[in-house]
Amino acid sequence: MTQSKEMLDAVMRAIELEKETFDLYNKAEHKTFNPAGKRIFKWLAKTEEGHYLKLTELYNSLHESGHWVFYGGSGFELEEAGSGEQPTGFDTDDVAALKIAQNIEKRGMACYEDLITKTSDPDGKAMLETLRNEEIEHLRVITEKLEELKG
C-alpha cells in the first residue's frame, strides 16, 4: 500500500529543503578562503547531500510500496581543525552564510518534527528522528562557530 499524498508531499518538501541547504553549504565552501570555514561547510554539505539522497530513496519507496527505508545516520564526522588553523577568522560572507544556515537548520528540524507526528510507522519515526537529530547537531556546530566569532 502506498503512502498518503500528504506524507509524500511532506517528504518532497524535506527533499527540497535538503537540496537548498546543500547548495548553500556547497557555495559557501567554495567561496571561503578560511580553512575552518571550508572544513565546516564541506562537512555540512556532505551530510545534507546524504539526507537528500536518503529522502529521495524514501520518497520512491513510499510511493511505490508504502515501505520506509532504514537510515542509520550520515557517518560523516566533522574533521578536527588542521594544524595552524585559527579558531576564528571567518569573513563577513561566512558569517552571513552561517546565519542563513542557522535558520535553514531550524526549518529542517521543524520539518522533521512535523513528519514524525504524521507517521505511525516505528521505522519511519526512527529514521525521521535520526535526520532531525543530525539537523540539531548541525545547528549546535553552527551556533558554536557564531558564538566564537562574537568572542
Side-chain angles (χ1 to χ4, degrees), residues 7-95:
M7 179 57 79
L8 289 171
D9 288 348
V11 172
M12 185 53 72
R13 280 193 303 279
I15 290 170
E16 288 163 2
L17 190 59
E18 294 295 351
K19 173 84 171 81
E20 178 186 338
T21 313
F22 168 77
D23 289 344
L24 170 80
Y25 294 145
N26 201 27
K27 211 173 287 173
E29 181 206 342
H30 289 92
K31 277 174 70 173
T32 187
F33 294 104
N34 178 281
K38 276 203 178 306
R39 180 172 57 84
I40 290 163
F41 289 131
K42 183 177 182 179
W43 170 69
L44 289 164
K46 272 201 296 199
T47 56
E48 298 299 359
E49 181 182 33
H51 290 179
Y52 171 83
L53 293 171
K54 184 51 77 172
L55 285 167
T56 302
E57 180 187 339
L58 171 65
Y59 181 89
N60 292 333
S61 180
L62 288 175
H63 182 69
E64 290 163 16
S65 67
H67 293 292
W68 287 83
V69 296
F70 176 75
Y71 179 68
S74 74
F76 295 114
E77 295 295 320
L78 178 58
E79 293 172 23
E80 293 296 315
S83 61
E85 184 178 300
Q86 299 298 312
T88 57
F90 282 81
D91 66 26
T92 310
D93 287 347
D94 297 339
V95 173

Side-chain angles (χ1 to χ4, degrees), residues 74-143:
S74 74
F76 295 114
E77 295 295 320
L78 178 58
E79 293 172 23
E80 293 296 315
S83 61
E85 184 178 300
Q86 299 298 312
T88 57
F90 282 81
D91 66 26
T92 310
D93 287 347
D94 297 339
V95 173
L98 286 169
K99 286 181 178 171
I100 293 166
Q102 258 187 328
N103 290 330
I104 294 177
E105 293 297 345
K106 286 177 186 169
R107 280 173 43 209
M109 286 162 45
C111 180
Y112 290 124
E113 287 291 339
D114 184 49
L115 281 166
I116 289 165
T117 64
K118 285 185 169 123
T119 185
S120 56
D121 183 286
D123 294 335
K125 277 197 190 309
M127 176 192 187
L128 296 167
E129 285 166 359
T130 302
L131 287 161
R132 181 209 48 212
N133 292 343
E134 288 183 350
E135 302 295 36
I136 290 169
E137 176 62 8
H138 292 173
L139 184 60
R140 186 193 66 74
V141 169
I142 291 164
T143 303

